[in-house]
Amino acid sequence: MTRQTSRNEAPAGADVATYALGLGDDVLVLAQRLSEWTARAPQLEDDVALLNIALDLVGQARNLLSLAGGRENPGRTEDDLAFWRDETEFRNAQIMELDGGDFGRTIARQFLVSAWHVPLWDGLRASTDPDLAAIAGKAVKEARYHVGYARHWLVRLGDGTPESRRRAQAGLEDVWPYVGELFEPDPVTERLVTAGAAPDPAVIEPVWREAVEAVLAEATLAVPPTVRRPTGGRRGVHTSAFGPLLAQMQHLHRSHPGASW
Amino acid sequence: MTPDGAAPDRPRADRLWEVFVRSRRGMSHTHVGSLHAFDAASALLSARDLYTRRQEGVSIWVIPSAELTASSPDEKDSFFDPAADKPYRHPTFYEVPEGLAHL
Amino acid sequence: MDVTTDERDFDRLVSADERVEPRDWMPEGYRRTLIRQIAQHAHSEIIGMQPEGNWIARAPSLRRKAILIAKVQDEAGHGLYLYGAAETLGVERADLLELLHTGRQKYSAAFNYPTPTWADVAAIGWLGDGAAIMNQVPLTRCSYGPYARAMTRVCKEESFHQRQGFEAMAVLCAGTPAQKQMAQDALDRWWWPVLMLFGPSDEASAHSARSMAWGIKRFSNDELRQRFVDATVPQADHLGLRIPDPDLRLEADGHYRFTPVDWNEFADAISGNGPCSRERIAHRVDAHEDGAWVRAAAQAYADKHGDRAARGAAA
Ligand SMILES: [Fe+2]
Ligand SMILES: [Fe+2]
């Protein structure tokens, strides 16, 4: 296979926009799910912690959507993108939109996603796109805390009581089939990898897997068997849980077209 | 385990911890408040979220409240009053002649 | 009656405007009053997360979403600071929560009202947190040290809450006619519940005089309510909103006269029969019960592993 583009050639603006949009939708949708725990967490301390993570994720989403919208012509704002796209235009991976379920599933999902975010943002810090690199530089610190919090709980749930162990394992198995999508190759990412603008998913996956397996071992949880399932979040294909999430998020903003808030 | 069969929502060891935060390098850790946690690692995590949301600190200590040994207010007189009549321990006790430096 | 040395020491501390600390002797009534007040305050912080938390998912812009998350998160933190302060008086948070869940301790009745529109969130910030500041700033000088210190921390955060609410309200007032109407409706809904939040008028307040003498309270409910009205009316004028009180007028002494709170109207809300009373407590109880298995797991893990994992050199 020959490629004309040489490494470090400036990536196409449209590719960066698409890539940032996917990552931005990921964190926006995950923040939306996490904030459903408001005033519902197992202890007040976790209300504070879960909202802290949600707040970090909203911040990342704003940065990424602004970047994506800014690279378009004519540009769109973060709110244009968050509130005026329909379901099929969202590019988040499906794992982000799954119903949070119980605390076991919420923690399992958070752990798997944050454990992916850490090497992702870490690699993206070296991006040839300075805006992506700057966003990643801030996000990687946040993701390290998120993975620490989720690991902390996953270990306690897995190695806690028989009930918590059962729930943690079940939560893990609920979300596990969706992790594959995070590492799926797609043409946009491939071009950005070639241009040195994005880390290679094929490089991130083993790093992720090693970190995940170590924590699951500590948590005395079993690594679920790999299940192939249809994906497509990055192409706008979503699960049935996504529509209601979006309707709730967008309803007020769309009810007042053109209004400022 | 709870030998006395305590209900799961009234766990025996959901302990109180005292939290100390170093606001910036060069400063001592200062007591900021307390929180509940089942173990030290959890206490540290919660302390970070609870007491440093606005960049209030660069380092945190947590210690189980039960392990603090404190002076008793009943001994206030014997503990602290004897220091009251030793003004010569303070530099302001001494008169420095006008115009002299480095003293 | 024989006044003990302990009582004399306590009285001297309070009258010298010094702070009482947890291990000092204190009259039983002082301790009980503080526990009741701090617990009620803590409960209000965490129940107050519900009417606003309800709008995080629907916040109309990402900026507002971030601000609201930060605000609601602070309220959970306030609850934690305050439960911590109460615990220095020899009660346990679990017991206080149990009293809340079984309706034996109260929280601010203002949170028994619904938040049907986004403007209600703005109004809670502007008016509710504004009232909280009026109430709480004097508490930073409360005679009980841990409560005063918790309030200092809380007050620093409340001014952000009030300002974000006012800003959100100002944007609505400068917006479309529908937005402005939404803002006015929310003010109409919240004005009286917020005035109620300052508590019964001085004649009717059972605990006021005692609390003043003990240095727990610095100003009467009516004084604080008056201050709030004086501070808020000009803000409403600035926004171009009408305070829902036809008799409101500025007097020559520089204070606003306003219609006294109709306590009959609030009797239900205060006694726990407000429009949302049941759902607020039910929500809280569900969260607590749903979380029992998680807390049990943390307990079991701590029993198995102790604190070994976390022990490191002090940094
Ligand atoms: Fe508060
Ligand atoms: Fe507040």
Side-chain angles (χ1 to χ4, degrees):
Chain A
M1 192 164 71
T2 54
R3 278 219 173 90
Q4 296 308 308
T5 357
S6 69
R7 209 177 150 76
N8 293 339
E9 185 175 304
D15 280 351
V16 172
T18 304
Y19 184 73
L21 192 62
L23 299 181
D25 285 348
D26 281 351
V27 283
L28 175 59
V29 171
L30 187 54
Q32 194 74 5
R33 282 294 182 218
L34 272 179
S35 67
E36 291 170 0
W37 281 95
T38 306
R40 238 181 226 300
Q43 339 175 79
L44 283 168
E45 284 80 358
D46 296 294
D47 271 304
V48 178
L50 292 169
L51 284 175
N52 230 7
I53 296 176
L55 189 56
D56 286 344
L57 296 178
V58 171
Q60 294 170 8
R62 296 182 65 194
N63 289 335
L64 287 160
L65 295 187
S66 296
L67 170 59
R71 298 285 171 98
E72 295 178 354
N73 192 10
R76 283 188 283 182
T77 66
E78 59 184 46
D79 285 344
D80 292 338
L81 288 168
F83 296 101
W84 289 102
R85 280 178 302 151
D86 290 335
E87 178 170 334
T88 54
E89 297 169 277
F90 270 78
R91 292 290 178 266
N92 56 286
Q94 292 175 354
I95 191 172
M96 312 296 171
E97 71 205 35
L98 302 175
D99 186 282
D102 67 1
F103 193 68
R105 192 199 282 181
T106 286
I107 289 296
R109 185 233 317 260
Q110 193 62 48
F111 174 67
L112 297 178
V113 170
S114 296
W116 165 68
H117 271 146
V118 170
L120 174 77
W121 300 134
D122 198 31
L124 202 55
R125 284 197 294 180
S127 172
T128 49
D129 187 284
D131 294 335
L132 275 178
I135 291 171
K138 181 167 177 299
V140 70
K141 292 183 201 157
E142 296 170 341
R144 284 203 184 103
Y145 174 75
H146 303 167
V147 80
Y149 173 83
R151 180 203 141 263
H152 180 92
W153 265 120
L154 197 60
V155 166
R156 277 157 183 74
L157 299 182
D159 194 11
T161 66
E163 183 186 6
S164 68
R165 178 200 185 72
R166 179 179 58 71
R167 286 182 184 250
Q169 187 68 44
L172 195 60
E173 282 167 19
D174 290 340
V175 296
W176 189 264
Y178 295 84
V179 292
E181 188 177 3
L182 300 175
F183 308 104
E184 259 171 25
D186 70 85
V188 170
T189 308
E190 275 173 17
R191 285 196 296 274
L192 291 173
V193 169
T194 307
D200 190 343
V203 174
I204 292 175
E205 182 167 14
V207 176
W208 173 86
R209 183 167 294 277
E210 196 186 333
V212 166
E213 287 180 357
V215 170
L216 292 189
E218 190 190 352
T220 68
L221 293 169
V223 179
T226 301
V227 187
R228 288 241 162 264
R229 64 167 314 288
T231 63
R234 300 273 185 243
R235 298 188 312 277
V237 178
H238 295 284
T239 64
S240 59
F242 191 48
L245 177 149
L246 218 49
Q248 187 185 37
M249 183 174 87
Q250 296 178 331
H251 154 260
L252 173 61
H253 186 97
R254 288 193 179 198
S255 303
H256 299 262
S260 299
W261 299 95
Chain B
M1 296 295 105
T2 52
D4 53 354
D9 58 340
R10 290 304 310 277
R12 181 171 50 79
D14 174 354
R15 284 177 292 167
L16 199 58
W17 300 72
E18 299 302 323
V19 183
F20 300 78
V21 172
R22 184 199 293 289
S23 56
R24 55 192 160 83
R25 290 179 175 280
M27 307 291 281
S28 297
H29 286 77
T30 306
H31 183 246
V32 292
S34 56
L35 52 77
H36 278 264
F38 290 93
D39 56 37
S42 311
L44 262 187
L45 265 188
S46 298
R48 180 264 192 193
D49 282 331
L50 190 55
Y51 290 106
T52 65
R53 293 199 299 288
R54 290 178 171 78
Q55 300 182 299
E56 292 97 334
V58 295
S59 160
I60 300 175
W61 290 347
V62 291
I63 80 162
S65 309
E67 288 184 26
L68 254 177
T69 308
S71 67
S72 157
D74 301 340
E75 294 155 354
K76 183 175 160 296
D77 293 352
S78 57
F79 252 63
F80 304 113
D81 284 3
D85 63 350
K86 299 181 180 64
Y88 43 81
R89 308 193 84 142
H90 300 274
T92 47
F93 178 75
Y94 303 94
E95 238 174 78
V96 177
E98 193 106 3
L100 287 186
H102 304 296
L103 243 182
Chain C
M1 201 184 82
D2 200 28
V3 176
T4 64
T5 332
D6 281 341
E7 275 179 273
R8 265 201 306 275
D9 283 350
F10 174 84
D11 290 342
R12 195 163 40 224
L13 276 181
V14 170
S15 55
D17 206 7
E18 287 212 45
R19 299 292 170 263
V20 178
E21 294 295 345
R23 288 168 47 112
D24 291 331
W25 182 90
M26 59 189 82
E28 194 47 29
Y30 177 82
R31 201 180 72 88
R32 275 202 311 268
T33 301
L34 277 170
I35 291 173
R36 195 193 61 237
Q37 181 174 334
I38 300 173
Q40 179 167 336
H41 194 159
H43 299 332
S44 303
E45 299 283 358
I46 65 165
I47 295 289
M49 295 171 72
Q50 292 181 34
E52 289 185 284
N54 189 264
W55 279 94
I56 290 176
R58 297 178 285 169
S61 73
L62 296 187
R63 177 172 177 272
R64 292 277 167 220
K65 192 189 287 286
I67 291 171
L68 188 57
I69 291 173
K71 198 244 178 196
V72 173
Q73 186 199 29
D74 278 350
E75 306 299 6
H78 296 175
L80 286 170
Y81 304 152
L82 286 161
Y83 285 120
E87 283 182 305
T88 63
L89 292 158
V91 288
E92 292 204 12
R93 184 169 97 192
D95 294 322
L96 298 178
L97 286 173
E98 175 71 15
L99 291 170
L100 169 67
H101 297 165
T102 52
R104 284 176 289 163
Q105 272 182 349
K106 297 199 180 316
Y107 55 91
S108 178
F111 296 123
N112 283 334
Y113 289 87
T115 44
T117 72
W118 170 254
D120 292 82
V121 173
I124 289 185
W126 171 39
L127 302 172
D129 291 87
I133 292 174
M134 285 291 172
N135 263 329
Q136 293 170 0
V137 167
L139 288 172
T140 62
R141 294 189 296 121
C142 165
S143 61
Y144 187 58
Y147 191 25
R149 290 191 286 276
M151 291 322 300
T152 302
R153 197 166 271 283
V154 167
C155 284
K156 271 191 207 154
E157 305 183 351
E158 291 295 0
S159 58
F160 141 60
H161 297 176
Q162 186 193 21
R163 284 193 193 174
Q164 65 83 31
F166 182 80
E167 185 200 69
M169 209 69 176
V171 173
L172 293 176
C173 291
T176 65
Q179 285 178 304
K180 177 131 196 204
Q181 188 60 48
M182 195 192 280
Q184 181 65 55
D185 291 346
L187 171 58
D188 292 349
R189 274 191 290 276
W190 286 95
W191 178 251
W192 294 108
V194 166
L195 290 192
M196 171 195 65
L197 200 142
F198 289 92
S201 67
D202 297 344
E203 308 92 77
S205 175
H207 311 292
S208 256
R210 200 90 198 274
S211 289
M212 299 270 264
W214 274 330
I216 297 175
K217 242 173 123 65
R218 298 277 170 175
F219 301 97
S220 75
N221 294 347
D222 286 334
E223 277 177 288
L224 292 169
R225 191 166 13 240
Q226 181 68 52
R227 276 195 201 185
F228 174 77
V229 172
D230 289 343
T232 308
V233 175
Q235 295 166 4
D237 290 345
H238 176 90
L239 294 173
L241 293 175
R242 176 180 28 78
I243 303 265
D245 180 353
D247 295 332
L248 184 84
R249 62 178 191 281
L250 185 59
E251 297 276 301
D253 62 2
H255 295 292
Y256 286 89
R257 290 293 154 278
F258 55 96
T259 309
V261 175
D262 177 1
W263 292 98
N264 291 328
E265 201 192 318
F266 295 114
D268 277 348
I270 290 169
S271 68
N273 276 318
C276 300
S277 309
R278 267 166 219 283
E279 70 182 79
R280 297 281 186 253
I281 290 296
H283 180 108
R284 178 59 224 153
V285 170
D286 284 352
H288 189 72
E289 286 173 359
D290 289 350
W293 69 272
V294 177
R295 297 189 298 275
Q299 170 68 69
Y301 182 87
D303 286 343
K304 277 186 242 181
H305 299 274
D307 290 336
R308 284 192 309 273
R311 286 266 159 84

mmCIF file of all heavy atoms in Angstrom, chain C residues 173-192:
data_model
loop_
_atom_site.group_PDB
_atom_site.id
_atom_site.type_symbol
_atom_site.label_atom_id
_atom_site.label_comp_id
_atom_site.label_asym_id
_atom_site.label_seq_id
_atom_site.Cartn_x
_atom_site.Cartn_y
_atom_site.Cartn_z
ATOM 1 N N CYS C 173 -34.191 38.049 30.605
ATOM 2 C CA CYS C 173 -34.910 39.324 30.560
ATOM 3 C C CYS C 173 -34.546 40.141 29.329
ATOM 4 O O CYS C 173 -35.342 40.952 28.862
ATOM 5 C CB CYS C 173 -34.644 40.125 31.830
ATOM 6 S SG CYS C 173 -35.414 39.351 33.264
ATOM 7 N N ALA C 174 -33.326 39.934 28.826
ATOM 8 C CA ALA C 174 -32.909 40.643 27.616
ATOM 9 C C ALA C 174 -33.239 39.838 26.367
ATOM 10 O O ALA C 174 -32.886 40.231 25.262
ATOM 11 C CB ALA C 174 -31.403 40.924 27.675
ATOM 12 N N GLY C 175 -33.898 38.703 26.541
ATOM 13 C CA GLY C 175 -34.126 37.800 25.412
ATOM 14 C C GLY C 175 -35.458 38.001 24.723
ATOM 15 O O GLY C 175 -35.991 39.120 24.662
ATOM 16 N N THR C 176 -36.007 36.916 24.226
ATOM 17 C CA THR C 176 -37.272 36.976 23.490
ATOM 18 C C THR C 176 -38.414 37.259 24.472
ATOM 19 O O THR C 176 -38.259 37.066 25.681
ATOM 20 C CB THR C 176 -37.550 35.622 22.806
ATOM 21 O OG1 THR C 176 -37.745 34.634 23.831
ATOM 22 C CG2 THR C 176 -36.401 35.201 21.914
ATOM 23 N N PRO C 177 -39.574 37.703 23.956
ATOM 24 C CA PRO C 177 -40.718 37.917 24.852
ATOM 25 C C PRO C 177 -41.057 36.654 25.652
ATOM 26 O O PRO C 177 -41.387 36.741 26.836
ATOM 27 C CB PRO C 177 -41.849 38.289 23.886
ATOM 28 C CG PRO C 177 -41.160 38.866 22.696
ATOM 29 C CD PRO C 177 -39.857 38.141 22.578
ATOM 30 N N ALA C 178 -40.944 35.505 25.022
ATOM 31 C CA ALA C 178 -41.260 34.263 25.741
ATOM 32 C C ALA C 178 -40.283 34.050 26.900
ATOM 33 O O ALA C 178 -40.670 33.608 27.985
ATOM 34 C CB ALA C 178 -41.209 33.080 24.786
ATOM 35 N N GLN C 179 -39.009 34.369 26.655
ATOM 36 C CA GLN C 179 -38.018 34.197 27.718
ATOM 37 C C GLN C 179 -38.284 35.162 28.870
ATOM 38 O O GLN C 179 -38.193 34.808 30.039
ATOM 39 C CB GLN C 179 -36.600 34.421 27.178
ATOM 40 C CG GLN C 179 -36.079 33.259 26.346
ATOM 41 C CD GLN C 179 -34.689 33.549 25.805
ATOM 42 O OE1 GLN C 179 -34.481 34.562 25.123
ATOM 43 N NE2 GLN C 179 -33.736 32.682 26.106
ATOM 44 N N LYS C 180 -38.615 36.394 28.498
ATOM 45 C CA LYS C 180 -38.869 37.390 29.538
ATOM 46 C C LYS C 180 -40.089 36.994 30.371
ATOM 47 O O LYS C 180 -40.085 37.134 31.599
ATOM 48 C CB LYS C 180 -39.076 38.760 28.905
ATOM 49 C CG LYS C 180 -39.425 39.825 29.920
ATOM 50 C CD LYS C 180 -38.587 41.076 29.756
ATOM 51 C CE LYS C 180 -38.698 41.933 31.004
ATOM 52 N NZ LYS C 180 -38.420 43.335 30.797
ATOM 53 N N GLN C 181 -41.093 36.469 29.705
ATOM 54 C CA GLN C 181 -42.285 36.028 30.427
ATOM 55 C C GLN C 181 -41.949 34.870 31.369
ATOM 56 O O GLN C 181 -42.412 34.807 32.508
ATOM 57 C CB GLN C 181 -43.369 35.604 29.422
ATOM 58 C CG GLN C 181 -44.725 35.309 30.075
ATOM 59 C CD GLN C 181 -45.283 36.530 30.815
ATOM 60 O OE1 GLN C 181 -45.303 37.628 30.271
ATOM 61 N NE2 GLN C 181 -45.697 36.337 32.071
ATOM 62 N N MET C 182 -41.090 33.992 30.881
ATOM 63 C CA MET C 182 -40.644 32.861 31.695
ATOM 64 C C MET C 182 -39.958 33.369 32.967
ATOM 65 O O MET C 182 -40.188 32.858 34.073
ATOM 66 C CB MET C 182 -39.640 32.057 30.842
ATOM 67 C CG MET C 182 -39.314 30.668 31.315
ATOM 68 S SD MET C 182 -37.865 30.008 30.421
ATOM 69 C CE MET C 182 -38.581 29.494 28.888
ATOM 70 N N ALA C 183 -39.155 34.409 32.807
ATOM 71 C CA ALA C 183 -38.438 34.980 33.962
ATOM 72 C C ALA C 183 -39.422 35.593 34.950
ATOM 73 O O ALA C 183 -39.316 35.377 36.169
ATOM 74 C CB ALA C 183 -37.434 36.038 33.479
ATOM 75 N N GLN C 184 -40.399 36.352 34.415
ATOM 76 C CA GLN C 184 -41.379 36.987 35.309
ATOM 77 C C GLN C 184 -42.197 35.927 36.053
ATOM 78 O O GLN C 184 -42.426 36.032 37.257
ATOM 79 C CB GLN C 184 -42.307 37.906 34.504
ATOM 80 C CG GLN C 184 -43.355 38.625 35.366
ATOM 81 C CD GLN C 184 -42.712 39.599 36.357
ATOM 82 O OE1 GLN C 184 -41.949 40.482 35.975
ATOM 83 N NE2 GLN C 184 -42.993 39.427 37.652
ATOM 84 N N ASP C 185 -42.606 34.894 35.339
ATOM 85 C CA ASP C 185 -43.397 33.839 35.973
ATOM 86 C C ASP C 185 -42.607 33.168 37.097
ATOM 87 O O ASP C 185 -43.154 32.841 38.155
ATOM 88 C CB ASP C 185 -43.814 32.774 34.943
ATOM 89 C CG ASP C 185 -44.838 33.319 33.947
ATOM 90 O OD1 ASP C 185 -45.414 34.401 34.214
ATOM 91 O OD2 ASP C 185 -45.043 32.671 32.899
ATOM 92 N N ALA C 186 -41.331 32.962 36.836
ATOM 93 C CA ALA C 186 -40.516 32.301 37.861
ATOM 94 C C ALA C 186 -40.368 33.204 39.085
ATOM 95 O O ALA C 186 -40.441 32.738 40.225
ATOM 96 C CB ALA C 186 -39.141 31.943 37.296
ATOM 97 N N LEU C 187 -40.175 34.500 38.853
ATOM 98 C CA LEU C 187 -40.099 35.424 39.989
ATOM 99 C C LEU C 187 -41.409 35.387 40.776
ATOM 100 O O LEU C 187 -41.402 35.355 42.015
ATOM 101 C CB LEU C 187 -39.792 36.847 39.499
ATOM 102 C CG LEU C 187 -39.883 37.961 40.550
ATOM 103 C CD1 LEU C 187 -38.932 37.702 41.715
ATOM 104 C CD2 LEU C 187 -39.551 39.323 39.920
ATOM 105 N N ASP C 188 -42.521 35.378 40.051
ATOM 106 C CA ASP C 188 -43.829 35.316 40.726
ATOM 107 C C ASP C 188 -43.946 34.055 41.586
ATOM 108 O O ASP C 188 -44.496 34.083 42.674
ATOM 109 C CB ASP C 188 -44.972 35.337 39.696
ATOM 110 C CG ASP C 188 -45.060 36.681 38.977
ATOM 111 O OD1 ASP C 188 -44.385 37.638 39.419
ATOM 112 O OD2 ASP C 188 -45.780 36.768 37.961
ATOM 113 N N ARG C 189 -43.415 32.945 41.062
ATOM 114 C CA ARG C 189 -43.513 31.694 41.816
ATOM 115 C C ARG C 189 -42.599 31.683 43.032
ATOM 116 O O ARG C 189 -42.936 31.108 44.056
ATOM 117 C CB ARG C 189 -43.112 30.505 40.921
ATOM 118 C CG ARG C 189 -44.238 29.934 40.091
ATOM 119 C CD ARG C 189 -43.830 28.602 39.455
ATOM 120 N NE ARG C 189 -42.830 28.770 38.402
ATOM 121 C CZ ARG C 189 -43.137 29.075 37.145
ATOM 122 N NH1 ARG C 189 -44.386 29.250 36.778
ATOM 123 N NH2 ARG C 189 -42.185 29.209 36.244
ATOM 124 N N TRP C 190 -41.415 32.288 42.906
ATOM 125 C CA TRP C 190 -40.395 32.103 43.951
ATOM 126 C C TRP C 190 -40.330 33.202 44.981
ATOM 127 O O TRP C 190 -39.739 33.026 46.046
ATOM 128 C CB TRP C 190 -39.012 31.875 43.306
ATOM 129 C CG TRP C 190 -38.952 30.498 42.734
ATOM 130 C CD1 TRP C 190 -39.214 30.132 41.444
ATOM 131 C CD2 TRP C 190 -38.717 29.282 43.449
ATOM 132 N NE1 TRP C 190 -39.139 28.766 41.316
ATOM 133 C CE2 TRP C 190 -38.833 28.217 42.524
ATOM 134 C CE3 TRP C 190 -38.408 28.987 44.781
ATOM 135 C CZ2 TRP C 190 -38.654 26.882 42.897
ATOM 136 C CZ3 TRP C 190 -38.230 27.664 45.146
ATOM 137 C CH2 TRP C 190 -38.358 26.635 44.213
ATOM 138 N N TRP C 191 -40.902 34.369 44.686
ATOM 139 C CA TRP C 191 -40.735 35.500 45.607
ATOM 140 C C TRP C 191 -41.194 35.153 47.023
ATOM 141 O O TRP C 191 -40.444 35.311 47.981
ATOM 142 C CB TRP C 191 -41.491 36.713 45.065
ATOM 143 C CG TRP C 191 -41.415 37.901 45.984
ATOM 144 C CD1 TRP C 191 -42.418 38.412 46.740
ATOM 145 C CD2 TRP C 191 -40.251 38.709 46.239
ATOM 146 N NE1 TRP C 191 -41.969 39.501 47.451
ATOM 147 C CE2 TRP C 191 -40.644 39.706 47.169
ATOM 148 C CE3 TRP C 191 -38.920 38.696 45.781
ATOM 149 C CZ2 TRP C 191 -39.759 40.675 47.652
ATOM 150 C CZ3 TRP C 191 -38.044 39.659 46.258
ATOM 151 C CH2 TRP C 191 -38.469 40.630 47.182
ATOM 152 N N TRP C 192 -42.422 34.653 47.129
ATOM 153 C CA TRP C 192 -42.951 34.395 48.474
ATOM 154 C C TRP C 192 -42.295 33.201 49.153
ATOM 155 O O TRP C 192 -41.939 33.307 50.341
ATOM 156 C CB TRP C 192 -44.481 34.300 48.439
ATOM 157 C CG TRP C 192 -45.090 35.623 48.082
ATOM 158 C CD1 TRP C 192 -45.698 35.974 46.914
ATOM 159 C CD2 TRP C 192 -45.102 36.823 48.892
ATOM 160 N NE1 TRP C 192 -46.085 37.293 46.940
ATOM 161 C CE2 TRP C 192 -45.732 37.841 48.142
ATOM 162 C CE3 TRP C 192 -44.616 37.129 50.172
ATOM 163 C CZ2 TRP C 192 -45.913 39.133 48.623
ATOM 164 C CZ3 TRP C 192 -44.801 38.412 50.665
ATOM 165 C CH2 TRP C 192 -45.433 39.404 49.888
#
